[in-house]
Amino acid sequence: MSKSKTIKDTDYLYLSAYLRARESQLLSNERVNRMLDAKTYEDAAKVLEECGYGDMADVTAAELEKRFSDKRDRTMKDLALMAPDSAIVDVFRVKFDYHNAKVLIKSEAAGTQGESLLSGAGRIPPEVLQDAYVRDELKGGIPAVLGEAIREAKDTLARTDDPRLSDFVLDRAYYKEFQELAEKSGSSFLVNYGKLAVDSANLRTAVRAARMQKDGAFLRGVISDGGSVSKERIITALSSGTPFSALFAGSPLAEAAAAGDDVISGAKLTHFEKLCDDALSQYLSSAKLSSFSERVLIAYICALETEISTARIILTGRMANIPSDVIRE
């Protein structure tokens, strides 16, 4: 795939140098271990000050989530302004539009207020999306794929009373829109990352479906198009009892698929989940070979999300007095 004629790798020189310098502030393995080995929650929280989160020693669980959300929101907006092509950043902001859609649908169904859970990291300001949702005007200012998915997810929840099925509708739409925007960006690195992300999500879903003894009809409604392994092949494998490792042999998810087969036989999910994450991380690590390009930007955005997820797990675990070895696993 050729890149945009107006955006060249050299246009990323400044931003790449800036992000390389910022990488030293990210949550490294050494910092993760210090957080896990810290004697108290307060000591663990202090490590995050080195990553630019400020003093988090006395925050509540709700405040903790807001700190993480604010950090992500600020970073996404800053990167969109600095990037030679903001469309690259927008691809990753899509996820938070769909997160907000889930919050709005579930809040309405439960009769609760979910404003505090809305993220400002999406393309659409949360108050704009909320207003469109309340007025049931999901056309015009809202991307068509998102608007249609919200309607379908809302109808699915009302019909089935199963929030998981509603989430599956939005997840499928999210991956569809992610890939459409990745194609438009002209970055083959981003397109291939999107395919791997779909493969990873589909493998996770298929393994869980097999473990719960679900059939192919169920799987058809919950996995996404666009991966390197087609929906039909995954559905056929589930229906016939073919090991998933045979489908993903030779792919970045080969080891994860083999672990998934073990999960179906009764092994724990933890190792399998980690291997799925590792496949994506290893793909992104190839960006280190690039001195300047959109790859550096893509890898940084993904690294920040990994940092937030890891920090959240550790600090909420420490708040709940969960043993460090359990959190580490």
Side-chain angles (χ1 to χ4, degrees), residues 152-167:
E152 184 182 351
K154 185 177 179 179
D155 290 344
T156 298
L157 183 59
R159 187 179 68 255
T160 66
D161 198 31
D162 188 342
R164 294 176 303 171
L165 297 180
S166 175
D167 282 352

Side-chain angles (χ1 to χ4, degrees), residues 45 64 81 83 96-97 100 103 125 127 164 172 179 187 201 203 206-207 223-224 236 246 253 265 273 294 299 303 328:
L64 185 67
L81 289 172
F96 302 101
D97 293 331
N100 289 343
V103 170
E127 62 275 11
R164 294 176 303 171
R172 291 198 308 273
Q179 290 182 304
S187 169
L203 176 59
V207 165
I223 60 175
S224 303
T236 299
L253 286 162
S265 300
E273 292 279 3
E294 88 283 0
R328 191 186 303 273

Side-chain angles (χ1 to χ4, degrees), residues 3 76 117 142 150 180 207 258 270 305:
K3 298 179 110 177
M76 286 293 201
L117 299 175
I142 306 300
I150 290 175
E180 287 177 353
V207 165
T270 310
E305 197 57 39

Side-chain angles (χ1 to χ4, degrees), residues 34 107 297:
R34 282 167 53 200
S107 296
L297 171 60

Side-chain angles (χ1 to χ4, degrees), residues 34-35 38-48 57 315 318:
R34 282 167 53 200
M35 291 179 71
K39 292 182 179 180
T40 65
Y41 165 85
E42 289 75 17
D43 288 340
K46 285 180 181 178
V47 176
L48 281 186
L315 291 188
R318 296 303 300 265

